[in-house]
Amino acid sequence: MRVKMTLEDVLQGKTKGGVVTADESTLMREAVKMMATNNFGALVITSEGRPAGIVTERDVLRQAAQGEGFLNKPVSEVMTRDIVVGRFSDDVEVAKRVMTDKRFRHMPIMQKGKLVGIVSIGDVVRSQLMTIEAEATYLRDYIRGEYG
Ligand code: AMP
């Protein structure tokens, strides 16, 4: 029987450190630096402290294709405003399908109105691989009779 894995499980498997956000007035130049130095592909953009949009490396690429001028734009001009968010209790399989269908790789996680993390398609795949490996180890031990 498959145990349902939730987005909370995926977040727990990640190294802690909170979510890095940027205010909507931040220039793209700064946002790109933040993504590069922290090594992540998405930045949640806030307005008066509340999530208002998301900028990802895909947005940077699209803008860069039109010239360097975008580096001086505020992130509010580049961000996607309608963010699709997940919750702790959401099934990972459902989140994976949503990300695949809608063609994005990052899902901010909101809990009680607060941004608590961000899950990428890479995090989802990693945690599912870990589960498969744990199940395989259990089954191998079981076959060898190590559980009596
Ligand atoms: P990604 O594949 O995550 O780099 O994103 C592809 C496009 O979808 C970019 O234009 C992002 O701004 C947008 N995007 C990424 N994540 C989300 C999300 N959770 N909700 C809405 N749009 C998103």
Side-chain angles (χ1 to χ4, degrees):
M1 189 188 72
R2 191 181 83 88
V3 181
K4 181 178 116 171
M5 189 188 275
T6 65
L7 290 180
E8 185 173 17
D9 298 328
V10 177
L11 270 184
Q12 271 167 2
K14 288 182 67 169
T15 41
K16 298 270 180 295
V19 206
V20 180
T21 61
D23 182 77
E24 60 183 343
S25 62
T26 310
L27 293 185
M28 281 302 291
R29 177 183 306 285
E30 195 52 37
V32 167
K33 256 191 231 154
M34 285 169 84
M35 288 201 257
T37 42
N38 289 291
N39 216 18
F40 43 55
L43 202 52
V44 174
I45 309 302
T46 55
S47 173
E48 290 170 7
R50 279 202 297 275
I54 189 164
V55 168
T56 74
E57 51 201 1
R58 177 89 60 197
D59 299 314
V60 173
L61 202 65
R62 273 196 209 118
Q63 293 284 325
Q66 294 165 31
E68 288 168 24
F70 78 99
L71 289 168
N72 293 321
K73 287 184 186 173
V75 287
S76 58
E77 281 183 29
V78 173
M79 68 188 189
T80 304
R81 287 174 187 274
D82 295 323
I83 328 176
V84 178
V85 298
R87 312 209 178 275
F88 273 166
S89 57
D90 287 348
D91 188 333
V92 166
E93 282 300 329
V94 176
K96 197 164 75 174
R97 200 163 322 129
V98 170
M99 287 198 251
T100 307
D101 289 350
K102 296 196 179 288
R103 294 177 189 280
F104 57 70
R105 295 161 294 174
H106 301 89
M107 190 177 265
I109 310 301
M110 301 279 292
Q111 201 63 19
K112 293 186 185 142
K114 283 217 165 75
L115 181 67
V116 289
I118 189 158
V119 161
S120 73
I121 198 78
D123 298 327
V124 168
V125 171
R126 200 173 311 119
S127 57
Q128 289 191 323
L129 275 178
M130 279 164 65
T131 309
I132 291 168
E133 278 161 17
E135 276 174 8
T137 303
Y138 168 78
L139 285 173
R140 271 196 297 270
D141 288 349
Y142 181 74
I143 291 163
R144 281 198 214 107
E146 288 183 12
Y147 287 111

